Amino acid sequence: MSGNPTMNDVAREANVALKTVSRYVNGETNIGAPLATRIQEAIDALGYRRNLAAASIRPGRTSRMLGLIIGDLSNPYYSTIAGAIESTASDHGYLLTIGSSDEDGRRHDQLVDRLMEQRVDGLIIVPPTGAARDWSKLPPPIPALVFLDRPVDFDQADAVVADNAGGARLATAALAERGGRRIAFVGDSLDISTMRERLAGYRTALIEHGVREDPELVVTDAHRSVDAAVAIRRLLNERAIDGIFAANNRAAVGALMAFRDSGARVPLIGFDDFEAATLSTPAVSVVSHDITLMGEAAAEIVFARLSGDTSARRTHVLPATLVLRGSEDG
Amino acid sequence: MSGNPTMNDVAREANVALKTVSRYVNGETNIGAPLATRIQEAIDALGYRRNLAAASIRPGRTSRMLGLIIGDLSNPYYSTIAGAIESTASDHGYLLTIGSSDEDGRRHDQLVDRLMEQRVDGLIIVPPTGAARDWSKLPPPIPALVFLDRPVDFDQADAVVADNAGGARLATAALAERGGRRIAFVGDSLDISTMRERLAGYRTALIEHGVREDPELVVTDAHRSVDAAVAIRRLLNERAIDGIFAANNRAAVGALMAFRDSGARVPLIGFDDFEAATLSTPAVSVVSHDITLMGEAAAEIVFARLSGDTSARRTHVLPATLVLRGSEDG
DNA sequence: TTGTAGGCGTTATCAT
DNA sequence: ATGATAACGCCTACAA
């Protein structure tokens, strides 16, 4: 046996015309019972399976596939997004093809090209931290395109982002309202746009509460949990901080490590929920932006565009909410 | 403009033959410099992108796509597997299409059909808990097929599984060696094959240490963490247990909840690592089977088969290791 | 209800 | 080095 059986093989086996097999396979009703039986028997005998790739190249036919590019599928943050998108895609009868950019601009661009060449009907992208493709010079037509989680300066696409500044402001304000005057900001590099927004929200809250910002209390190089832990131990020992806004969940985990190691503890609020948050004592309060909702929203926007929604592209900002669990009181 | 530009459009624009464009796009070397320039200009002008779906229908050509079916992409356990497979696939220039079965047999079967019709070159499957497709009557040819994490009775496919029994035996033995004589088994339904294997390992260890099994100490209906917590609180209060083997990480989290709520604590070892394990005090010891390694192994097997490895299909059993962190001493 | 002819975008064959 | 022509597997006209 050389390759996979084709419709033609089935037609020959069943002594019918190719088109009749096509009709049968596609569930069209106008087929005589005897022929239908013969065709099904031929299909079973040959182990025929239709070739959707071949079908999809016909004009008017689509691949019924969505593409998703994220940083790293192993990261629970991204996989939650991916899961929400996959689930929504599945509801619409779509398959999801996923690529991880590892936050690398080149890899990201390769994935964009590959997925477009694969003719996905829609593309959802979490842009990498580093410089990526200049979207403005990407020639149309591009499929339904949605940027997720991070804003991109390209008005031909929709975007779904969380209210990072608003959430950071909520958290910092909660700490200030409980008397915090030396509240630390602990986060990752400001090359990451979400970090810049969260720092801006932190500053807004400080200003609103009449607190002068102390640059010594702002840490923006905590890439891993242990980095954050080291920085926070130092802040606790040398800077007399009385509150911590942990700008991502790695920073929050780092704070827990620092508390454990140093025996000291100050009020703490994190950004983005994490599994250990409810298990520690007291439980860690966090700003939660619902990434599941973000993923679903992005997918639904794609499907809206696919079904003809031509309204102006826009950026959808999803609210961030403060989940207080106790750690904000120290 | 009607559709996407095609090779034909490029050929007309550049005043060359179709085949010459094909050669250029596919990086064949035997092309004159002047034509190459004209073709590239035409490509840029038209915004041409090749259609891999169309290319893949030619005989001998493949889709360079892998399919993966798991329970739920939002679940960190599965997404870790998915991430490892995606990473390996990416190294081989392959894209990964993922579907979640939600542990539903029907949905699982649909995904198998869909991915096969999409002509993925290889298929990696975590079979759902419930009854799934009868693989034995699936007509060949099937793409390179690997079952992951759970054994399936089908000798036409490879399988990669963890040593569940061995790991459970290690954990239970560690508890018994520390004096445990009333060691509880807390896990999910025995409909799940891994649970059966872990229970078997638990029993083996008890026998080896001369401990008579007490059926009252075996819980096999803890589906969620809270279920496990409730059961464990009861065991602590009414059954005087002196050790807990938590047969999955939800059960381990449940144990932590029960300890917190009841104030009591006994030696504990879990199965499968989880983020909170190292943050609690004492840190939770676990049997760890490296699911990243499992995913990589599965993908590498697929690629080996794709490149012509025709050796007998086999089941690869990956070792489970005991990671002691303190909780085994109570 | 069934069949015939043609084309989708690409690559392969075989010429020039 | 370049090109004309025929597939690939399927579907959409348009007959019969």
Side-chain angles (χ1 to χ4, degrees):
Chain A
M1 55 142 190
S2 47
N4 286 328
T6 78
M7 258 188 191
N8 234 319
D9 300 329
V10 175
R12 195 177 319 116
E13 175 86 8
N15 259 304
V16 254
L18 173 62
K19 177 63 209 181
T20 311
V21 180
S22 172
R23 276 195 260 265
Y24 176 79
V25 166
N26 285 71
E28 296 178 33
T29 51
N30 49 345
I31 287 196
L35 279 204
T37 315
R38 257 158 61 203
I39 293 174
Q40 183 58 56
E41 283 170 359
I43 287 177
D44 291 341
L46 269 47
Y48 168 78
R49 219 187 294 276
R50 68 192 202 279
N51 184 335
L52 290 180
S56 74
I57 76 171
R58 300 308 320 286
R61 300 252 146 191
T62 66
S63 63
R64 296 179 80 80
M65 294 231 249
L66 253 43
L68 171 65
I69 304 177
I70 54 182
D72 174 16
L73 191 50
S74 309
N75 180 326
Y77 183 83
Y78 289 119
S79 66
T80 302
I81 290 175
I85 294 174
E86 193 274 330
S87 170
T88 307
S90 170
D91 291 345
H92 290 256
Y94 271 64
L95 237 35
L96 181 66
T97 300
I98 303 181
S100 295
S101 69
D102 292 324
E103 306 289 354
D104 174 53
R106 263 179 50 82
R107 175 86 193 112
H108 165 87
D109 288 357
Q110 285 174 358
L111 284 169
V112 171
D113 286 331
R114 177 72 194 276
L115 286 168
M116 291 222 172
E117 290 175 359
Q118 210 79 64
R119 291 298 195 267
V120 293
D121 295 344
L123 194 47
I124 299 175
I125 292 179
V126 182
T129 301
R133 170 189 302 273
D134 180 1
W135 285 97
S136 65
K137 62 177 48 162
L138 186 74
I142 50 178
L145 180 63
V146 176
F147 292 110
L148 193 56
D149 199 28
R150 298 173 195 165
V152 162
D153 187 26
F154 178 55
D155 60 6
Q156 292 302 97
D158 293 287
V160 177
V161 296
D163 186 4
N164 287 290
R169 177 165 158 255
L170 278 178
T172 310
L175 293 169
E177 280 157 15
R178 283 163 179 76
R181 286 300 172 268
R182 297 189 53 73
I183 303 170
F185 175 100
V186 182
D188 204 334
S189 162
L190 295 183
D191 290 344
I192 303 170
S193 63
T194 54
M195 276 299 146
R196 291 196 298 276
E197 296 172 18
R198 290 172 195 181
L199 180 58
Y202 161 86
R203 286 177 170 152
T204 303
L206 290 187
I207 293 169
E208 287 173 347
H209 287 78
V211 178
R212 170 99 58 88
E213 177 184 343
D214 179 351
E216 301 276 0
L217 307 189
V218 175
V219 176
T220 60
D221 59 358
H223 188 54
R224 301 164 303 162
S225 296
V226 286
D227 303 333
V230 169
I232 291 169
R233 267 205 306 271
R234 196 171 43 70
L235 290 170
L236 286 168
N237 293 335
E238 304 172 12
R239 299 292 169 194
I241 57 174
D242 58 8
I244 299 173
F245 170 54
N248 64 24
N249 49 26
R250 292 189 300 281
V253 170
L256 294 182
M257 292 171 163
F259 291 166
R260 183 192 59 195
D261 296 347
S262 70
R265 161 178 281 282
V266 297
L268 165 71
I269 300 183
F271 204 117
D272 291 338
D273 219 332
F274 58 107
E275 187 185 25
T278 55
L279 283 173
S280 83
T281 312
V284 179
S285 301
V286 295
V287 177
S288 164
H289 69 174
D290 189 335
I291 52 180
T292 298
L293 192 63
M294 263 185 36
E296 288 169 352
E300 291 296 0
I301 290 169
V302 166
F303 288 115
R305 294 299 182 188
L306 287 179
S307 43
D309 177 358
T310 54
S311 59
R313 318 277 164 165
R314 52 178 288 249
T315 294
H316 305 247
V317 178
L318 267 45
T321 57
L322 191 55
V323 182
L324 294 181
R325 298 188 174 121
S327 70
E328 73 280 8
D329 292 315
Chain B
M1 58 141 190
S2 47
N4 286 328
T6 78
M7 259 188 191
N8 235 319
D9 299 330
V10 175
R12 195 178 318 115
E13 175 87 6
N15 258 302
V16 251
L18 175 61
K19 179 63 205 180
T20 310
V21 179
S22 172
R23 275 194 261 265
Y24 176 79
V25 165
N26 285 71
E28 295 178 35
T29 52
N30 48 346
I31 286 195
L35 279 204
T37 315
R38 258 158 59 204
I39 293 174
Q40 183 58 56
E41 283 169 359
I43 287 177
D44 291 340
L46 270 48
Y48 167 76
R49 219 188 292 277
R50 67 195 202 279
N51 184 334
L52 290 180
S56 75
I57 77 170
R58 301 309 317 284
R61 299 254 146 189
T62 65
S63 64
R64 296 179 78 79
M65 293 230 248
L66 252 43
L68 171 66
I69 304 176
I70 55 184
D72 174 15
L73 192 49
S74 309
N75 179 326
Y77 182 84
Y78 289 120
S79 67
T80 303
I81 290 175
I85 293 174
E86 194 273 333
S87 170
T88 307
S90 171
D91 292 344
H92 290 256
Y94 272 64
L95 238 36
L96 181 66
T97 300
I98 302 181
S100 296
S101 70
D102 291 324
E103 305 288 354
D104 174 52
R106 264 178 50 83
R107 174 87 193 110
H108 165 87
D109 288 357
Q110 285 174 358
L111 284 168
V112 171
D113 286 331
R114 177 74 194 275
L115 286 167
M116 292 220 172
E117 291 174 358
Q118 210 79 53
R119 290 298 195 266
V120 294
D121 295 343
L123 194 48
I124 299 175
I125 292 178
V126 181
T129 300
R133 170 189 300 274
D134 180 1
W135 284 97
S136 65
K137 63 177 50 162
L138 187 72
I142 51 178
L145 181 63
V146 176
F147 292 110
L148 193 55
D149 199 26
R150 298 174 196 164
V152 162
D153 188 26
F154 177 55
D155 59 7
Q156 290 303 96
D158 293 288
V160 177
V161 296
D163 185 4
N164 286 291
R169 177 164 158 256
L170 278 177
T172 311
L175 293 169
E177 281 157 15
R178 283 163 179 76
R181 286 299 171 269
R182 298 188 54 73
I183 303 170
F185 175 101
V186 182
D188 204 336
S189 162
L190 294 183
D191 290 343
I192 303 171
S193 62
T194 55
M195 276 299 145
R196 291 196 297 276
E197 296 172 18
R198 290 172 194 180
L199 181 58
Y202 162 86
R203 286 176 170 153
T204 302
L206 290 186
I207 293 171
E208 287 173 346
H209 288 79
V211 178
R212 170 98 57 90
E213 177 184 343
D214 179 353
E216 302 277 358
L217 308 188
V218 174
V219 176
T220 59
D221 58 358
H223 188 55
R224 301 164 303 160
S225 296
V226 287
D227 303 331
V230 169
I232 290 170
R233 266 206 307 272
R234 197 173 42 71
L235 290 170
L236 286 169
N237 292 334
E238 303 172 12
R239 298 293 170 194
I241 56 173
D242 58 9
I244 300 173
F245 169 53
N248 63 24
N249 49 25
R250 293 189 298 280
V253 169
L256 294 182
M257 291 171 162
F259 292 166
R260 183 193 60 196
D261 296 346
S262 70
R265 160 178 282 284
V266 296
L268 165 70
I269 300 183
F271 204 118
D272 291 339
D273 218 335
F274 58 108
E275 188 186 24
T278 55
L279 283 173
S280 82
T281 312
V284 178
S285 302
V286 295
V287 177
S288 164
H289 68 174
D290 189 336
I291 51 180
T292 299
L293 192 63
M294 263 184 37
E296 288 169 352
E300 291 296 359
I301 290 170
V302 166
F303 289 115
R305 294 299 182 189
L306 287 180
S307 43
D309 177 358
T310 55
S311 58
R313 319 277 164 165
R314 52 179 286 250
T315 295
H316 304 247
V317 179
L318 267 44
T321 57
L322 191 54
V323 182
L324 294 181
R325 298 190 173 119
S327 70
E328 73 278 11
D329 292 315

